[in-house]
Amino acid sequence: MFNRTKDSVTSKRSPSPYVVVLAGSASLAIAMGVGRFAFTPILPMMLHDGVLDLSRAGGLATANYVGYLVGALAAMAVPKRWDHTFVIRLTLVATVLLTALMSAPYAEAWVALRFLAGVASAVGFVFTSGWCLAQLSGTGSSIGSAIFTGPGAGIAVSGLAASGMTILGQSGHTAWLIFAAISATISGIIWKTFGESAKPSDAYSVGAPTRASGKVPKSEMPLFAIAYGLAGFGYIVTATYLPVIAKNSIPGSPLLTVFWPLFGVAAVVGSLLAARVKHSADVRLHLIAAYLVQAVGVGLSVIWQDAFGLALSSVLVGLPFTAISFFAMNEVRRIRSSHHARYMGLLTAVFAIGQIMGPPAVGVIMRHVVNVDAGFDLALAVASIALVVGAAIYVAMILLFPSERNARSVGRSVRPT
């Protein structure tokens, strides 16, 4: 099942680039939009149902982020001979089942379920993006980056679905079942696409830009990893608690349910814009801009707490959401032209560590402030500062390690395809 022979692989025909992109985007929407972030729009329902409080909610969020870290490490260890499409299908099935099981009234099992959903999410992200990029390599297609619209699209769809369920007065129990049904339906539609193909699934062996000189400063990658980890911490407070923050800021507003879908739509737009930037420029400049935009968005929700302020905050935090990963994963292929898949896994793991730190940090802050609103304000301010620090690290990297793109690297495409 895992080990395909060369003859059996090459006898198959690859799906068209558009089919690959649509299937990949849909798979990432399930892995990320549901497996990781369905909990965010369902959280207000569960709080209303009285089945958990903010402290336990933070524990469930942390379990999912820890699972994502474990999944990222596990994906690095999967043997190359394993069939990517089998693993993708396995993660789709796992996400559907784990989402459905969250509807069961056994709160003691929820931590384990969210942990496993995080594992499936990370493995699904790595293998889906890897398989899709491999299928698109050499096709001449420029639409490969569109697969990264999946996470934002998944967030938007799940947010809109949750909005409708909230208006109809549905419970969190029902919401989990509906999300599982939506995921199962989409999985069924794309299932056949993830079959055997004419190309191997060695995800990151193609199209990787390289450094013009062979010497690589040892301190460059650790600085890069720290900066990327700060991005994980910087956005996660908003991504985990946005509907709750909105409910506390503008209670009773009919717009309470639109901010999370708006975040997702902005993420889709951001991923498309990221593919259109000038590739001759230093990618770290794009990362600096993305971090600062997100920092402004996170901080804005502290000082501008009406509906318009929260909407603008959602857009500014969402726009760089997947763009940051898009830029970072391509930059690591430049500074680590050999074994770059290993370093991509390292960055994903460090990003996950940053996310893991978010909910516990909120919990600690909540125990030392006078009310919930003050706690969220302080947590968001800390997150915004973390993003500014991350941007400052990229500035230092530009000064310490000048880009060589103006030499032989100019003209090389940093697109995944």
Side-chain angles (χ1 to χ4, degrees), residues 171-254:
S171 66
H173 163 86
T174 302
W176 286 112
L177 288 176
I178 291 176
F179 280 5
I182 293 173
S183 299
T185 301
I186 296 174
S187 296
I189 293 172
I190 64 177
W191 190 263
K192 289 185 178 180
T193 303
F194 296 111
E196 294 182 63
S197 60
K199 295 181 182 179
S201 300
D202 189 4
Y204 303 109
S205 61
V206 294
T210 59
R211 189 184 284 277
S213 65
K215 192 169 181 65
V216 178
K218 292 183 178 180
S219 58
E220 185 171 7
M221 194 65 210
L223 282 175
F224 192 12
I226 292 170
Y228 193 60
L230 288 171
F233 178 81
Y235 92 98
I236 202 62
V237 176
T238 300
T240 302
Y241 298 106
L242 178 58
V244 178
I245 294 170
K247 186 176 180 179
N248 290 340
S249 299
I250 49 174
S253 171

Side-chain angles (χ1 to χ4, degrees), residues 74-154:
M76 294 171 61
V78 171
K80 290 185 177 181
R81 67 178 182 276
W82 280 28
D83 179 15
H84 276 48
T85 56
F86 172 79
V87 179
I88 294 169
R89 287 174 168 179
L90 186 62
T91 59
L92 291 173
V93 172
T95 301
V96 170
L97 292 177
L98 292 167
T99 302
L101 288 172
M102 280 296 295
S103 67
Y106 303 109
E108 61 274 9
W110 289 346
V111 170
L113 291 174
R114 294 308 295 156
F115 170 82
L116 292 173
V119 174
S121 177
V123 174
F125 179 84
V126 171
F127 278 80
T128 296
S129 57
W131 182 83
C132 290
L133 296 180
Q135 302 313 304
L136 293 169
S137 64
T139 65
S141 174
S142 61
I143 61 173
S145 59
I147 66 173
F148 297 103
T149 61

Side-chain angles (χ1 to χ4, degrees), residues 41-49 161-179:
I42 295 178
L43 175 56
M45 299 183 202
M46 299 181 75
L47 293 172
H48 181 268
D49 297 340
S163 298
M165 286 182 275
T166 300
I167 293 172
L168 295 174
Q170 299 296 322
S171 66
H173 163 86
T174 302
W176 286 112
L177 288 176
I178 291 176
F179 280 5

Side-chain angles (χ1 to χ4, degrees), residues 48 69 85 161 216 220 272 301 304 323 412:
H48 181 268
L69 170 61
T85 56
V216 178
E220 185 171 7
L272 294 175
S301 60
W304 195 352
R412 287 183 183 271

